[in-house]
Amino acid sequence: MTDRFLKIAVTKPEIISSEADMISSLLVNGLDYVHIRKPEASLRDIRNLIEDIPYRLRKRLRLHGHFELFNDFNLGGAHLNSRCPVAPQAACRLSKSCHSIEELNGCEDYEYVTLSPIFDSISKAGYHSAFDINDLKDKISSKNVIALGGVTPEKFGQLAAAGFAGAAMLGCIWEDIGSFLQKINKTICCNI
C-alpha cells in the first residue's frame, strides 16, 4: 500500500454510453483505480467495456464480479463483497467492502478495504452515514481504509485527517464527470 491518499472511482451499476472513454479519462486525470461494479451486466458487457479501455490502463481496473475475466485480461485486482466474497485465483491484488468497524478485523491481507457509508450517499437516496468521522481515526488509521459513501474531492482533507488512506467515489463523479475532473485536478495539484 502506498503512503499517498488513493483516489478511486466506482462505476454506476448500469452500462452507460461512452463509459470506456470516461473511465480512461478518470485514470489519465489522476485517479488511481476504477472499480467496475455492474452486478446486472452480462459477462459480454463487461468484456466489451474492458476491451474498449486502453491496454496500459487496464491494470488499474478492479472487478466486483465477473471474475472469470481475470484469465483474459491484465487487471488491477478483485474487490470482494457480499455478492462475490471468494477471491479468484487469477487475481493477485485484493480489496474488500466493509460496512462496520468490526468487519475491518481480519482484513490485513487486503491491499485496502472500503468502509461505507461515511457520509450520506449521493447516488442512493436514503442511504445515510453510519459513522461519526471524528471517532474513526484510532479505529482505522493502521488498516488502509478507503472512505466510501457521499465522498467528494472537497472532503479529501477531512478524510485524510481522520486516518483514511483514500476515497472512493460514485455519485459525485457520474452526475457530472466534467465538473468532477475539474475538481479532482485542483485537488491533485494541492496534494489532497
Side-chain angles (χ1 to χ4, degrees):
M1 181 74 188
T2 180
D3 288 332
R4 65 188 182 86
F5 193 80
L6 290 177
K7 293 163 225 53
I8 299 167
V10 179
T11 63
K12 290 182 83 163
E14 62 275 358
I15 298 288
I16 59 176
S17 177
S18 303
E19 188 166 17
D21 292 336
M22 290 182 227
I23 289 171
S24 299
S25 184
L26 290 167
L27 292 170
V28 167
N29 284 287
L31 267 66
D32 298 289
Y33 294 106
V34 172
H35 283 221
I36 298 177
R37 181 187 168 277
K38 298 190 175 294
E40 302 300 319
S42 71
L43 185 65
R44 172 53 46 203
D45 288 337
I46 302 302
R47 178 181 298 283
N48 290 344
L49 177 61
I50 294 169
E51 287 174 344
D52 287 343
I53 295 170
Y55 180 82
R56 73 184 193 291
L57 299 176
R58 292 178 189 167
K59 65 181 180 268
R60 292 167 53 201
L61 302 175
R62 296 254 169 150
L63 293 182
H64 283 228
H66 302 91
F67 292 153
E68 54 268 55
L69 292 171
F70 279 99
N71 296 320
D72 301 331
F73 296 102
N74 179 26
L75 302 174
H79 187 83
L80 307 181
N81 52 49
S82 60
R83 189 177 47 80
C84 297
V86 179
Q89 285 187 321
C92 59
R93 299 173 92 182
L94 299 174
S95 54
K96 179 181 176 183
S97 294
C98 295
H99 301 284
S100 70
I101 296 300
E102 295 75 29
E103 281 184 85
L104 297 176
N105 297 326
C107 288
E108 292 76 20
D109 293 337
Y110 295 96
E111 184 178 358
Y112 56 83
V113 296
T114 59
L115 183 63
S116 67
I118 300 303
F119 302 107
D120 291 350
S121 176
I122 296 168
S123 61
K124 297 178 182 176
Y127 195 52
H128 298 289
S129 171
F131 304 96
D132 180 343
I133 193 168
N134 299 313
D135 295 336
L136 291 175
K137 189 168 191 165
D138 293 337
K139 298 171 185 168
I140 67 166
S141 61
S142 65
K143 299 186 186 236
N144 295 324
V145 178
I146 305 296
L148 175 64
V151 175
T152 64
E154 295 84 3
K155 295 175 181 169
F156 288 176
Q158 180 184 6
L159 293 168
F164 285 95
M169 299 156 285
L170 192 162
C172 75
I173 294 173
W174 302 107
E175 67 183 11
D176 183 350
I177 193 166
S179 174
F180 173 79
L181 288 171
Q182 289 178 346
K183 290 177 188 176
I184 200 74
N185 284 328
K186 286 181 187 175
T187 304
I188 289 170
C189 291
C190 299
N191 296 323
I192 291 194

